[in-house]
Amino acid sequence: MGGPRVRALLAMLLLDAGRVVSTERLIDGLYGEEPPAGAANALQSQVSRLRRGLGDAALVEGLPSGYRLNVAREDVDVHRFERLVKEGRGREALELWRGPALADVQAPFAAAQVVRLEELRDSVVEDCAEEEIGAGDHAKAIDGLRGLVAARPLRERARGLLMRALYASGRQGEALAVYEEGRRLLAEELGADPSPELAEIHLAILRGEAGAAGRRRLPVPLTSFVGRDEELAGVGKMLAEGRLVTLLGPGGAGKTRLALEAAERADGDACFVDLSQVGEDAEVPRAVLGALGLRESALPPGAPQADPVDRLIMALDGRRTLLVLDNCEHVVEAAARLAHRLLGALPGLRVLATGREALGITGEALRPVPPLELPPEGAGAVEAAGYAAIRLFRDRAAAVRPGFEITPGNVGEVARICSALDGLPLAIELAAARLRSLPVEEVARRLDDRFRLLSRGDRSAPRRHRTLRAVVEWSWDLLGEDERTLARRLSVFAGGATLDAAEHVCGTGGGTDDLLSGLVEKSLLQTDGTRYRMLSTVRAFCAERLGEAGEADRVTAAHAAYYLDLARRADAHLRGPGQMEWLARLTGEHAELHTALRRCIRSGDLVTALRLAAALAWYWWLRGRIEAGPLSIALLDAVGLNPPEGCDEEYVLCVTNALSAGATGPEASAALDLATEKMAAMRRQLEYPAVIVLWALTAGPERSVAEAVDAQVGRDAWSRALLDMSEGFMAQFSGDMAEAERWAERALAGFRALGDRWGVANTLDPLAQLAAGRGDRERAMALLGEALELVGELGALEEHSDLLNRRARVYLQAGELDAAFADFGRAAGLARRAGAGDKVAAAFHGLGEVARLRGDMPEARRRYEQVLDAYSERFIATAIRAGAYVGLGWVALARGDADEARSRLRRALEMTVDHPVFTNRPEALVALADVALLEGDGERAAFLIGSATALRGDLLPGDLARVEAGARRRIGDEAYEAARARGAALPADRALAEALTM
């Protein structure tokens, strides 16, 4: 690779393979605290040499902030080593080492990395040796530990393990000599005594106690242990601080395996007792005796038999022992009695229990065992493979299909499988085993029938763990009849139930809270103190039981009725002081509300579906919930052009929601026409105030009848403030800015009095536009800042996107392109999250403007064309599309194509002749003036500039100044001013008509 600096640079980049390493960090790492003058140039030189040495310049990517080595982390031994260590595959990890870490690297950064890597390797050697001692492979442990102790003579854990291994091999004298050597070195070099742990091993060897060799009666796992680092550390800490720890979780959560791993890492003796085969309470102590390898006293017939618990106390007295009581749930009372008695008599005893409910005795510490961690939605193959659930699937799948790996092609299906199975280890293992005969895509597809799919397991496993159904049945069989009734009815809740919801929907009366607590204790439910949730596998099992009981239709109807009532009650509070509280409540019930709506659509209960969607319309608008779009479209498809009687308002809202979500085609257009008829016919106050707002934003003023609107608007304070806001908009569109500001201030006062953040933000917006229009940029930015803060509190994604677009326009006017670019980018991201295509298009249009003003015409054209692809029936989208045509006109002008520019600009003006909110008209006229200049007609250019400056709307100063200067040069100042004055004198409609004929 060349000289030492190049090798050091390569090492630094490899240690962060695939990630950007900043220039500053590279310079510090290569040169230290006093880099030479021109260090940045020197670094570039080293990078060039490295690229030549690698033979592929693309391997080292230069970025504004630093450099990145474009290799997969899995291709670098150090990262493979760290991954294998995390997965518990220490022996494989050690095979990757070839001598000292970073042996030939001489650079300031290297020392700390060498210490880190060597320390990690030493720890792995010790971990592997401890496993070998536990498995009885003492010779192998001794071989590995002798080298480590020689290299690190002050490392006490390694020395203690070597003593244990030597003692277990019958070499007590050598074990004592190893201790004496360590004691001498510690005294000479550190002036310290051996640690209590090392001294305890020494004392046990002197006494000849088997415990010194770690008498451990633990089954040896046949597969790797994946993930659970945090849980293992937590259990270890709890066992160090207390004497009774119970691991809780549903069947298949991995409690047994976690307990075994924790026991392997615990000091002293350890014994594993499987209670799953115990049939009666009296058999529990005998099962422990058997696991310890002890027999009950054999006395003559008729003689009184010794108490097996007394026998256990005698056998364990004076020993430091960890007793693992596995699967206590079906003998929980007997296990609790035994643990209580043993712990009271044996100060050296600790108990680690597993079960689906707590033992319930004094001193017990509980540790719930959560599902394995799942990757975020959309994670790539490399990212996903770092999550425990995915790693477990990969490892178990590779056992039945050698070579199986997580790839970009299968990561989505694997993640879907693991997520659908709640991250439960046993379920994931059963699913991975099916890859023996099915492709991963087929396993994912068949998960709807999970109990049949996952019906083949390890024949050597206990019967309760051979199939997924058996796992859940084991818990079900332990429930009382009332608990089973509640459990099966709770399966109608998709996202969990509050106590109130469970009482109303499940109909189990006043004892519901006690029953819920019982199901939580038995690990059939999980709770955060407010909601009670089932894992999806448990829910699927309970749903089968609900169907068998013939209760499915009645309970799902009760579920829909409960959430319709909740949505209606909430809607009345979303426009006043309780806004945030009720938004939070609906957000918490989001999954249930949507589940109820889906079921009503599927079952054909369209009246309930329309009413529920209508009650949720304002919530959806405020929160920008993208899931509402497909639901609204599905509901409109189901209703078609035949809405149920008495559901006119609900139908109108259904149409607006569907169109906002992108519904298109003849059916959507026909539905819009029908909704228009129904709006015109409704001459009464509307039940849903959201109709007024959403209809105006979706259909536009041309589909509204003034007399009908007057009758439809309520007389409450919120509706009056809304009318004031509307009056302000109308005054603004007509050009009376003073009147517009008066109405907006009045609306603002009304909304502030109500505490409605949405109303306040949406009146601050036009006030900011008015301030910007008269050149008061400071006030405009202050108003927009307050509005953005309010919609941020609401989580109103569409309004947030709108306001960011608005602020970006202010930045554009001031020539602050970087700030405008940032706001337009954020606006696009929020609009995407909201599923608001027209607002995404608005942000793309803004990004196109930024690119054009920067002179990047290809990027500008791409952005404007993206706008045209984002089709929407909403009338506001027409103005955004027209703005894109204006932008494309400017792009055509930049390359000197007058004909295309004229065509694009006329298209923009023609499609918005009567559109009240098309703010790009002045910009279109200035662009047409530039067309005139390109064709040599300076007088026409001046006339169009005059018309543009007389119109209301956006006008970027840079465009106007450039075209104006060109016109003056062409015809002179006097002729320019005369032609410009003629254009400015024309009324807006005449000016537009003239422009379209030129």
Side-chain angles (χ1 to χ4, degrees):
M1 295 311 305
R5 281 251 163 76
V6 179
R7 292 199 301 278
L9 173 61
L10 176 59
M12 276 196 83
L13 293 171
L14 281 166
L15 286 167
D16 275 293
R19 297 173 178 167
V20 178
V21 184
S22 71
T23 301
E24 293 77 9
R25 206 173 122 213
L26 288 170
I27 290 173
D28 289 346
L30 294 176
Y31 300 105
E33 295 182 357
E34 298 182 4
N41 292 332
L43 175 61
Q44 289 180 349
S45 175
Q46 302 297 346
V47 170
S48 298
R49 293 175 63 195
L50 176 57
R51 285 169 171 160
R52 288 196 299 272
L54 292 173
D56 183 358
L59 281 173
V60 184
E61 181 183 4
L63 296 158
S65 58
Y67 294 90
R68 174 168 55 207
L69 192 66
N70 286 322
V71 297
R73 292 175 73 80
E74 191 63 16
D75 290 340
V76 182
D77 281 354
V78 69
H79 301 306
R80 292 175 58 207
F81 170 73
E82 290 174 337
R83 175 179 63 78
L84 289 168
V85 170
K86 286 181 180 178
E87 294 175 359
R89 297 156 69 180
R91 188 56 61 192
E92 289 179 62
L94 291 173
E95 291 173 0
L96 296 171
W97 280 78
R98 303 286 187 277
L102 303 180
D104 61 346
V105 176
Q106 303 297 322
F109 82 90
Q113 289 291 340
V114 167
V115 170
R116 180 181 72 85
L117 292 169
E118 296 282 8
E119 169 64 27
L120 185 54
R121 176 172 61 172
D122 293 347
S123 296
V124 176
V125 171
E126 291 168 342
D127 289 343
C128 290
E130 188 155 21
E131 290 177 10
E132 289 155 359
I133 293 171
D137 194 350
H138 305 117
K140 190 173 183 180
I142 291 169
D143 288 343
L145 289 167
R146 280 201 186 281
L148 179 54
V149 169
R152 309 275 194 274
L154 299 179
R155 198 172 178 91
E156 291 188 88
R157 184 188 176 203
R159 190 171 291 275
L161 288 168
L162 179 57
M163 291 165 61
R164 285 174 51 191
L166 288 167
Y167 178 87
S169 300
R171 298 151 71 177
Q172 181 177 4
E174 288 183 61
L176 293 172
V178 168
Y179 173 80
E180 184 57 33
E181 178 192 35
R183 186 197 61 75
R184 179 180 57 78
L185 287 170
L186 285 166
E188 291 176 356
E189 299 192 19
L190 301 179
D193 294 325
S195 66
E197 291 79 12
L198 195 62
E200 185 179 343
I201 295 173
H202 176 242
L203 183 61
I205 292 173
L206 289 173
R207 290 174 174 170
E209 294 178 354
R215 187 165 67 192
R216 309 174 79 77
R217 293 177 172 270
L218 301 173
V220 178
L222 300 178
T223 57
S224 61
F225 181 71
V226 177
R228 301 291 195 202
D229 294 341
E230 181 180 343
E231 287 82 2
L232 265 177
V235 173
K237 185 172 185 294
M238 294 169 79
L239 286 171
E241 296 174 351
R243 297 179 57 215
L244 171 59
V245 177
T246 300
L247 304 182
L248 295 175
K255 302 183 295 296
T256 299
R257 190 61 189 274
L258 177 59
L260 281 172
E261 291 297 322
E264 283 285 0
R265 287 161 171 73
D267 57 339
D269 297 354
C271 179
F272 179 84
V273 186
D274 182 5
L275 297 177
S276 64
Q277 304 304 314
V278 172
E280 299 178 4
D281 287 359
E283 296 178 13
V284 172
R286 294 183 176 86
V288 179
L289 283 170
L292 286 167
L294 303 173
R295 297 180 183 176
E296 291 191 73
S297 300
L299 298 176
Q305 297 293 314
D307 182 351
V309 181
D310 290 338
R311 178 89 169 90
L312 284 171
I313 292 172
M314 185 182 303
L316 294 171
D317 188 26
R319 291 165 54 183
R320 183 169 176 78
T321 304
L322 174 65
L323 193 63
V324 180
L325 299 179
D326 191 42
N327 294 299
C328 297
E329 54 271 349
H330 64 302
V331 286
V332 64
E333 292 186 5
R337 287 194 299 270
L338 177 64
H340 183 265
R341 188 168 169 192
L342 292 178
L343 289 168
L346 301 166
L349 179 69
R350 291 168 296 166
V351 174
L352 178 59
T354 78
R356 306 185 191 188
E357 61 179 302
L359 297 184
I361 60 178
T362 302
E364 180 181 28
L366 303 179
R367 178 84 190 191
V369 179
L372 291 177
E373 192 177 10
L374 294 161
E377 189 174 349
V382 174
E383 181 186 3
Y387 286 81
I390 306 298
R391 293 207 313 271
L392 178 64
F393 187 95
R394 180 196 62 199
D395 288 3
R396 301 306 187 257
V400 299
R401 185 184 288 182
F404 178 85
E405 286 293 343
I406 305 299
T407 67
N410 66 27
V411 64
E413 301 295 352
V414 173
R416 189 158 74 87
I417 292 169
C418 294
S419 178
L421 296 174
D422 307 299
L424 287 177
L426 178 62
I428 291 172
E429 291 181 343
L430 291 171
R434 293 311 306 267
L435 264 63
R436 183 184 295 111
S437 57
L438 294 172
V440 67
E441 298 80 8
E442 192 65 19
V443 173
R445 190 182 68 80
R446 296 187 182 197
L447 279 176
D448 286 344
D449 192 6
R450 65 186 66 195
F451 294 118
R452 189 172 66 83
L453 175 69
L454 307 182
S455 59
R456 300 177 188 174
D458 182 358
R459 292 189 181 93
S460 66
R463 186 172 298 279
R464 71 188 187 287
H465 275 182
R466 291 183 192 174
T467 70
L468 190 61
R469 181 180 297 280
V471 170
V472 186
E473 279 181 338
W474 174 260
S475 295
W476 180 263
D477 291 342
L478 298 174
L479 300 180
E481 193 56 43
D482 288 345
E483 290 175 322
R484 292 182 187 181
T485 299
L486 179 59
R488 67 175 180 253
R489 293 177 183 175
L490 285 170
S491 68
V492 300
F493 292 93
T498 62
L499 173 59
D500 182 70
E503 286 178 337
H504 282 82
V505 173
C506 298
T508 45
T512 303
D513 53 347
D514 290 335
L515 292 173
L516 287 169
S517 297
L519 292 174
V520 170
E521 290 171 1
K522 294 179 171 68
S523 298
L524 264 294
L525 290 179
Q526 298 172 321
T527 184
D528 56 8
T530 302
R531 301 186 71 80
Y532 298 86
R533 295 180 174 86
M534 281 181 170
L535 296 175
S536 59
T537 296
V538 175
R539 191 160 67 87
F541 180 90
C542 291
E544 287 184 357
R545 308 289 79 73
L546 185 69
E548 290 170 359
E551 298 176 339
D553 290 345
R554 179 173 62 80
V555 180
T556 53
H559 179 274
Y562 178 84
Y563 285 102
L564 173 57
D565 177 69
L566 174 66
R568 281 176 158 170
R569 285 187 289 122
D571 182 60
H573 294 279
L574 294 181
R575 291 173 290 278
Q579 193 174 56
M580 297 303 296
E581 175 191 345
W582 282 89
L583 273 174
R585 185 165 178 184
L586 289 180
T587 300
E589 297 289 3
H590 178 74
E592 298 311 315
L593 292 161
H594 283 202
T595 295
L597 182 53
R598 285 191 196 93
R599 286 179 182 147
C600 290
I601 296 171
R602 281 200 305 266
S603 67
D605 184 1
L606 299 183
V607 171
T608 302
L610 283 166
R611 288 174 178 167
L612 181 54
L616 290 173
W618 196 240
Y619 161 68
W620 285 340
W621 178 257
L622 291 178
R623 282 298 200 215
R625 292 288 186 175
I626 191 169
E627 307 99 304
L631 279 172
S632 300
I633 293 173
L635 178 56
L636 183 58
D637 287 343
V639 176
L641 301 177
N642 300 293
E645 187 176 349
C647 291
D648 288 355
E649 281 187 60
E650 290 86 350
Y651 183 71
V652 169
L653 282 170
C654 176
V655 172
T656 62
N657 288 330
L659 292 178
S660 298
T664 59
E667 296 84 358
S669 296
L672 179 58
D673 290 340
L674 179 57
T676 302
E677 293 176 15
K678 292 188 175 297
M679 279 296 290
M682 282 189 280
R683 304 299 174 97
R684 56 173 175 77
Q685 183 175 327
L686 298 182
E687 181 180 353
Y688 303 97
V691 175
I692 300 294
V693 179
L694 301 184
W695 181 255
L697 292 170
T698 303
E702 68 272 16
R703 286 182 175 269
S704 297
V705 178
E707 295 81 4
V709 173
D710 288 342
Q712 291 163 358
V713 176
R715 299 298 175 260
D716 57 286
W718 189 87
S719 297
R720 288 199 303 273
L722 185 68
L723 278 176
D724 292 341
M725 180 198 294
S726 177
E727 291 288 350
F729 281 126
M730 296 305 294
Q732 190 175 350
F733 296 150
S734 67
D736 189 342
M737 300 307 169
E739 185 72 358
E741 189 156 15
R742 188 177 71 81
W743 281 111
E745 291 285 6
R746 181 170 163 172
L748 178 61
F751 285 126
R752 282 198 193 280
L754 286 168
D756 180 4
R757 290 165 174 78
W758 176 88
V760 171
N762 278 274
T763 44
L764 290 171
D765 180 7
L767 286 169
Q769 293 180 56
L770 292 166
R774 61 172 177 264
D776 190 349
R777 182 174 180 275
E778 184 176 349
R779 175 170 166 76
M781 295 300 280
L783 293 171
L784 287 170
E786 182 186 353
L788 281 164
E789 185 176 342
L790 290 171
V791 297
E793 292 174 10
L794 281 174
L797 299 181
E798 295 201 35
E799 266 79 6
H800 207 149
S801 178
D802 272 340
L803 288 165
L804 285 171
N805 275 323
R806 197 86 68 209
R807 189 171 70 180
R809 291 280 165 192
V810 178
Y811 284 131
L812 272 185
Q813 293 286 343
E816 298 179 38
L817 300 185
D818 289 345
F821 180 84
D823 271 1
F824 282 132
R826 286 182 61 204
L830 290 171
R832 277 199 198 92
R833 283 174 54 196
D838 56 332
K839 298 185 188 302
V840 173
F844 284 166
H845 177 259
L847 291 170
E849 298 282 77
V850 172
R852 180 174 68 81
L853 294 175
R854 285 174 170 171
D856 187 350
M857 295 304 164
E859 172 65 6
R861 183 185 186 96
R862 184 177 75 85
R863 289 297 190 182
Y864 294 139
E865 288 176 346
Q866 280 183 318
V867 174
L868 300 181
D869 290 339
Y871 181 80
S872 173
E873 287 282 358
R874 296 172 72 171
F875 92 100
I876 290 178
T878 303
I880 300 168
R881 290 165 60 80
Y885 281 117
V886 175
L888 289 170
W890 282 117
V891 171
L893 280 166
R895 63 173 184 271
D897 190 337
D899 288 338
E900 183 183 342
R902 181 186 293 105
S903 172
R904 298 285 197 179
L905 295 165
R906 284 182 172 174
R907 175 74 186 277
L909 292 173
E910 287 168 353
M911 66 192 294
T912 57
V913 168
D914 297 318
H915 202 291
V917 292
F918 179 47
T919 60
N920 292 103
R921 287 194 187 93
E923 194 73 24
L925 294 186
V926 172
L928 282 170
D930 207 14
V931 173
L933 279 181
L934 193 60
E935 295 175 337
D937 191 340
E939 186 171 343
R940 177 156 59 97
F943 176 88
L944 288 167
I945 289 172
S947 298
T949 55
L951 289 176
R952 179 180 46 80
D954 293 339
L955 192 57
L956 296 179
D959 292 331
L960 175 61
R962 179 177 54 79
V963 179
E964 185 177 40
R968 287 182 183 276
R969 285 194 303 271
R970 171 73 61 179
I971 61 174
D973 289 342
E974 186 176 349
Y976 170 82
E977 292 295 346
R980 183 183 182 283
R982 289 198 306 274
L986 286 180
D989 55 346
R990 285 280 307 283
L992 289 173
E994 289 283 338
L996 287 170
T997 61
M998 289 183 174

